[in-house]
Amino acid sequence: MLTFGIMTLNRESENAYINELANRAESLEMEVFRFIPSDINPHDLQVKGVKFDSDTASWLECTIPIPTIIYDRCFYGEDEHSKQCLSIVTWLKSRKDITFLGYGLPNKWELYQTLKTTKLASYLPSTQAVPDVESILTELALKKKIILKPINGSQGYGIYYLKKNDKTIHVKTEKQKRIISRIFPNEAKLSQWLKLLLKQRDYLLQPYLELSNKDHKPFDIRILLQKNEQGVWGEQGRGIRIGTTGGILSNLAAGGNVINFKDWLISLPPAKAEYIQQELNYILTSLPSPLEHAFMPLFEIGIDIGIAKDGSIWILDINSKPGRKVLLSTNPELQESLYTKPLLYGKYLTENDQTERKVYYEKTLSH
């Protein structure tokens, strides 16, 4: 029986999703084993973890060889354990005897640098790396409203909105589902704060896009693409994420909620709805190929699309480890497909010779 390995940074991560997935493994003649990268013994290449027992629907402690098929669901932070696991995962990805469902994407800056040379360039907000405080002040004076995003950020964490008024500067972010605002009386005070911010992590700067709805709530479209059991890309579904009034994020982690995409679409004028559908379809069919050409093979992509008040459409974020809450909330009929797709694709990889896949893509390992 094929062992399907799921890798997380702790045993509690994504329990609901992983339990549902494990429940379906036996019917596909597979068993699910979950483990933490740091629990691999480097001497005998055995790993401690838990194996799903379908008879009791529970997880049992065991030690087995490193699975040859791995689904990477590690979300790294700035802590020491994350850094330790990241180096172990990089080593795992370099091994010829192990195949990952997907090899991840690099940081937001590398992604932007790659996609701006493709036919999707016009859908990308103008983006620049932030070398110093002065570059932020220059852009703020020029554009009046800007956004700062961590190069390695996820779930909207660490995103800041800056607005220059006549005499003051307004800075806004969202933490623990609350909007945090601060007014700086002058550039000198703002500079002091920005210096501390840039010491913590690297940032990108983008113009502020008016992506709120008629109720002044930020919103975007979350779309999930996945490969099927023949290795062919396809769309799983779409949902609309809506943030809080006056906020800057629509992420569920920031307190947003969701509505069904079709319900939202039929509320629009027919011509506008048709235009949005055509644009989205163009983006979705054009996106996977340049990503897999530039980086390593992928299994799934979460894409966040923003629609500005002027009708312009923007690719806001691309995530190689997307969640499923948006689709499960708005399209419950997709449940079975969402829980079996990783298993079916894992089976496809083991039943087909993946030598070319590994050799062709021996480039930059990304996470």
Side-chain angles (χ1 to χ4, degrees):
M1 189 176 278
L2 172 66
T3 300
F4 184 90
I6 302 179
M7 195 167 60
T8 58
L9 290 193
N10 63 69
R11 293 272 184 92
E12 285 71 48
S13 179
E14 297 192 295
N15 271 342
Y17 172 51
I18 293 173
N19 287 345
E20 292 284 0
L21 195 151
N23 261 316
R24 289 156 174 81
E26 190 180 37
S27 64
L28 297 170
E29 299 178 325
M30 303 169 80
E31 59 183 1
V32 172
F33 173 80
R34 70 176 295 178
F35 67 100
I36 299 167
S38 53
D39 284 338
I40 295 173
N41 185 322
H43 302 295
D44 60 11
L45 301 185
Q46 299 280 307
V47 56
K48 290 180 181 178
V50 288
K51 189 179 287 187
F52 188 76
D53 181 69
S54 56
D55 293 331
T56 60
S58 61
W59 295 89
L60 307 176
E61 298 278 343
C62 64
T63 300
I64 66 167
I66 301 170
T68 54
I69 284 285
I70 294 178
Y71 187 21
D72 178 8
R73 296 297 295 179
C74 293
F75 298 94
Y76 304 103
E78 301 292 323
D79 56 287
E80 285 307 309
H81 184 242
S82 285
K83 292 173 184 175
Q84 178 195 5
C85 287
L86 187 55
S87 63
I88 295 167
V89 172
T90 302
W91 164 73
L92 286 174
K93 287 180 178 178
S94 70
R95 291 183 63 92
K96 298 274 197 298
D97 57 339
I98 294 172
T99 299
F100 280 70
L101 255 63
Y103 285 81
L105 288 168
N107 64 46
K108 296 180 192 302
W109 179 239
E110 287 185 58
L111 265 179
Y112 175 75
Q113 293 285 85
T114 296
L115 290 178
K116 75 174 186 178
T117 63
T118 71
K119 58 186 179 180
L120 292 170
S122 61
Y123 297 96
L124 305 175
S126 173
T127 304
Q128 55 184 283
V130 176
D132 49 38
V133 171
E134 287 68 33
S135 64
I136 298 175
L137 297 178
T138 300
E139 285 299 305
L140 186 57
L142 193 66
K143 296 190 170 71
K144 306 304 180 188
K145 296 178 184 179
I146 61 171
I147 290 285
L148 295 179
K149 292 181 178 179
I151 282 181
N152 291 301
S154 64
Q155 296 188 321
Y157 177 76
I159 294 179
Y160 291 89
Y161 160 83
L162 283 71
K163 179 185 178 185
K164 185 173 177 62
N165 302 311
D166 288 341
K167 294 181 179 179
T168 61
I169 300 101
H170 183 194
V171 176
K172 188 161 58 173
T173 188
E174 294 188 40
K175 291 180 181 176
Q176 296 174 332
K177 303 184 180 182
R178 289 172 55 233
I179 299 170
I180 311 293
S181 277
R182 184 171 175 182
I183 304 294
F184 290 90
N186 52 52
E187 279 195 358
K189 293 289 186 183
L190 176 67
S191 294
Q192 291 174 4
W193 177 79
L194 285 171
K195 282 176 185 173
L196 293 174
L197 188 72
L198 297 185
K199 278 182 181 176
Q200 294 171 23
R201 56 181 59 87
D202 295 326
Y203 274 85
L204 297 176
L205 186 152
Q206 295 178 339
Y208 174 70
L209 302 170
E210 297 283 351
L211 301 173
S212 54
N213 61 17
K214 65 181 186 305
D215 299 319
H216 307 292
K217 294 180 179 181
F219 84 102
D220 63 18
I221 306 166
R222 162 55 70 91
I223 304 170
L224 177 64
L225 298 183
Q226 287 182 317
K227 286 179 179 172
N228 66 13
E229 54 270 36
Q230 281 87 42
V232 178
W233 283 105
E235 181 182 338
Q236 279 284 63
R238 311 174 182 188
I240 302 289
R241 304 187 302 180
I242 301 176
T244 53
T245 304
I248 57 174
L249 303 172
S250 58
N251 302 62
L252 302 192
N257 55 43
V258 299
I259 59 172
N260 183 280
F261 176 82
K262 289 178 182 175
D263 293 343
W264 172 79
L265 198 68
I266 60 175
S267 71
L268 303 177
K272 184 175 183 180
E274 177 63 23
Y275 166 73
I276 289 171
Q277 284 278 55
Q278 289 177 355
E279 290 288 281
L280 291 180
N281 291 340
Y282 178 78
I283 290 170
L284 299 179
T285 54
S286 305
L287 186 59
S289 180
L291 292 180
E292 291 199 297
H293 180 75
F295 309 114
M296 304 255 303
L298 299 164
F299 157 59
E300 56 190 349
I301 312 170
I303 306 151
D304 297 336
I305 304 286
I307 301 177
K309 287 185 175 178
D310 63 4
S312 55
I313 293 177
W314 303 96
I315 299 174
L316 303 178
D317 200 12
I318 301 168
N319 185 352
S320 60
K321 296 174 186 174
R324 281 145 182 79
K325 286 182 182 177
V326 173
L327 291 192
L328 287 171
S329 300
T330 59
N331 302 272
E333 73 280 2
L334 293 175
Q335 183 172 299
E336 201 62 31
S337 177
L338 290 172
Y339 295 139
T340 56
K341 270 285 196 298
L343 296 166
L344 291 170
Y345 184 61
K347 203 167 187 180
Y348 159 80
L349 291 177
T350 56
E351 291 171 353
N352 292 271
D353 182 12
Q354 294 305 310
T355 307
E356 284 185 27
R357 180 180 190 254
K358 292 298 292 285
V359 171
Y360 177 77
Y361 286 104
E362 277 182 342
K363 309 174 184 177
T364 307
L365 287 171
S366 43
H367 316 287

